[in-house]
Amino acid sequence: MQVDSEDEIEVSPFDWPKGFYSDSTHAGLKPDGDDMGWIYSEVPAEAAGVYTTNQFQAAPTTLTKQTINLNYQLQAVVMNSGNANSCNGEQGISDAEMMQQMVADRLQIQANLVGIASTGVIGEPLPMAKIKAGISELKLTKNVGLTKAILTTDTHPKTMTVKCVINDQPVTITGFCKGSGMIHPNMATMLGFVTTDAVISGSQLQQLLSHTVDETFNQITVDGDTSTNDMVVVMANGQAHNQPLTDTNPDYSTFAVAFETVLAHLAKEIAGDGEGASKLVEVNVKGALNHLEGQQVAKAIVGSNLVKAMIFGEDGNWGRIMQAIGQTDAHVDIDGVSVSINGIQLVKNSMGTGIDDAEVSATLKNKVVTIDVDLNAGSAAGTAWGCDLTYKYVQINASYRS
């Protein structure tokens, strides 16, 4: 999607949109650091969400999905790390509902305006006394500690704020997320939250979110595993007082591009912070028969353990990229594929170019590795993001609970 001028979108320091508040606290779910927090809008906000496709969907995820689907509205989301409240049966459902009601009582709003998000160890009951104490400590501040409170194995918070002008009114879109391992969306062990003061209906927001997630969060992979708790939730409280954003609003494309800018940045932040990762990997595919196949091939390459290990080892073994392409059912010109890494062409017409291995190894030392592929089968493209596979990944996940 294009806008007339890049000046219409401005990446800004982290800042909550008008009418949004937050806070975080240490509830004791983790040994140290904040592990619980909330987002609050001073008015009910239009809301939309996308959720994990894992069959063992966690109680907080299921409850939030049900809550948003009632009328596409939320006024608050409470979140915790340290415990996923997943695979806990009826007790897990009851605890999620109790958590929702506690927040509603504290904020004096309806329970069906409260979303719940949890992340952490699967299969351990929520310590409800700690949850209750944590909720009692939360306040309505502008505390950005919330962005740290949801982290598990992440090495840093992942945030993004973009400002734009819609119908002559300044609009802010701010997002933050967590995710490092068990990342292979539809969705992944990731939680994402986006707030905006724009005026947009819940149904329009849902349409935009679903489309944008397919182009961003669903095009990242760290380890091929999909979690039970993932979700991305968006709240739009209308405090910018712009004209309602619909497909016919001339500034809709500006908002959509700003929205995609936020989600794409957060998606790449997750990919680059994969557990144990030392490199961010971007794969750009062109010459695909259609966009879906371009996306499929890009994600297959970035998700291949052989490719990921190759990049970690700084070994220009381009055959691993070719096998990843060939494992898909995408249309490919078998005798016409090209592959480049960081601008160095390794494959032309599906054969090696004889490039010096030392040159390839040197470029693979970069913190960002870009792989460009031409399938020579059409005019469509696709992009995906991931990371290398390191010894550290095994170390982290061999002792996750300890």
Side-chain angles (χ1 to χ4, degrees):
M1 189 177 294
Q2 301 292 322
V3 293
D4 294 335
S5 170
E6 293 182 0
D7 293 338
E8 296 180 52
I9 297 174
E10 174 190 358
V11 176
S12 302
F14 189 90
D15 184 27
W16 292 117
K18 295 174 186 174
F20 281 98
Y21 300 87
S22 66
D23 198 17
S24 62
T25 188
H26 175 63
L29 303 173
K30 296 192 297 190
D32 51 48
D34 286 357
D35 49 25
M36 194 169 187
W38 64 16
I39 307 170
Y40 172 77
S41 171
E42 60 189 15
V43 298
E46 299 296 298
V50 292
Y51 315 92
T52 182
T53 56
N54 193 298
Q55 293 187 70
F56 295 101
Q57 192 174 90
T61 309
T62 299
L63 180 59
T64 299
K65 181 177 181 179
Q66 292 171 347
T67 300
I68 289 178
N69 286 349
L70 286 175
N71 55 13
Y72 290 103
Q73 283 195 328
L74 288 177
Q75 196 166 355
V77 180
V78 65
M79 53 203 75
N80 72 271
S81 57
N83 188 305
N85 190 14
S86 178
C87 297
N88 287 326
E90 291 296 325
Q91 185 63 50
I93 296 170
S94 175
D95 288 344
E97 291 174 343
M98 186 181 300
M99 194 171 173
Q100 183 184 52
Q101 188 62 56
M102 286 176 183
V103 172
D105 292 344
R106 180 81 201 285
L107 292 171
Q108 297 184 329
I109 61 177
Q110 297 177 22
N112 62 12
L113 291 174
V114 179
I116 309 291
S118 299
T119 185
V121 177
I122 293 171
E124 295 185 0
L126 272 179
M128 293 306 294
K130 292 181 179 180
I131 293 291
K132 182 177 181 180
I135 291 172
S136 70
E137 293 176 4
L138 294 174
K139 301 176 178 61
L140 299 183
T141 70
K142 298 287 186 176
N143 179 7
V144 297
L146 175 63
T147 63
K148 296 181 180 180
I150 60 171
L151 304 185
T152 50
T153 57
D154 309 62
T155 64
H156 62 270
K158 301 162 178 68
T159 66
M160 183 63 158
T161 295
V162 169
K163 296 180 184 291
C164 58
V165 176
I166 305 295
N167 307 129
D168 298 323
Q169 299 298 319
V171 166
T172 300
I173 307 171
T174 289
F176 67 101
C177 65
K178 63 83 57 179
S180 186
M182 215 184 292
I183 301 292
H184 189 66
N186 275 315
M187 298 286 292
T189 263
M190 54 158 290
L191 296 175
F193 306 95
V194 181
T195 58
T196 180
D197 45 22
V199 178
I200 183 171
S201 71
S203 58
Q204 186 76 49
L205 193 61
Q206 184 66 61
Q207 179 181 326
L208 176 62
L209 175 64
S210 297
H211 169 75
T212 309
V213 162
D214 279 343
E215 299 296 307
T216 55
F217 286 119
N218 281 350
Q219 282 300 109
I220 61 174
T221 182
V222 169
D223 49 21
D225 291 314
T226 300
S227 179
T228 59
N229 288 61
D230 319 324
M231 70 174 91
V232 178
V233 171
V234 185
M235 298 170 66
N237 67 7
Q239 296 303 287
H241 302 298
N242 56 280
Q243 296 175 17
L245 282 160
T246 66
D247 292 337
T248 59
N249 187 317
D251 285 345
Y252 180 77
S253 61
T254 298
F255 180 79
V257 170
F259 188 80
E260 183 171 6
T261 299
V262 172
L263 267 63
H265 174 84
L266 296 177
K268 286 187 279 188
E269 281 280 285
I270 289 176
D273 194 33
E275 288 176 340
S278 66
K279 298 176 176 70
L280 170 66
V281 183
E282 177 174 297
V283 177
N284 299 304
V285 173
K286 68 177 183 178
L289 183 66
N290 53 55
H291 179 59
L292 183 62
E293 291 192 2
Q295 296 287 77
Q296 177 190 10
V297 171
K299 197 167 183 181
I301 295 169
V302 83
S304 165
N305 281 339
L306 288 176
V307 173
K308 292 156 69 70
M310 173 198 93
I311 292 170
F312 171 61
E314 298 167 359
D315 174 22
N317 185 356
W318 54 264
R320 294 184 170 185
I321 299 173
M322 297 295 282
Q323 64 83 25
I325 297 170
Q327 287 187 80
T328 73
D329 56 7
H331 292 78
V332 175
D333 180 351
I334 297 301
D335 298 315
V337 170
S338 297
V339 176
S340 298
I341 294 181
N342 289 346
I344 301 172
Q345 188 167 20
L346 306 184
V347 178
K348 182 177 181 181
N349 295 327
S350 299
M351 296 185 295
T353 59
I355 198 74
D356 182 32
D357 284 347
E359 184 178 355
V360 182
S361 181
T363 198
L364 286 173
K365 295 182 184 299
N366 294 353
K367 292 298 183 183
V368 178
V369 174
T370 302
I371 300 174
D372 294 300
V373 173
D374 187 348
L375 302 179
N376 201 28
S379 57
T383 299
W385 301 275
C387 61
D388 56 346
L389 179 61
T390 72
Y391 306 130
K392 186 70 174 177
Y393 176 85
V394 177
Q395 181 182 12
I396 290 170
N397 283 286
S399 56
Y400 181 76
R401 293 199 302 170
S402 57

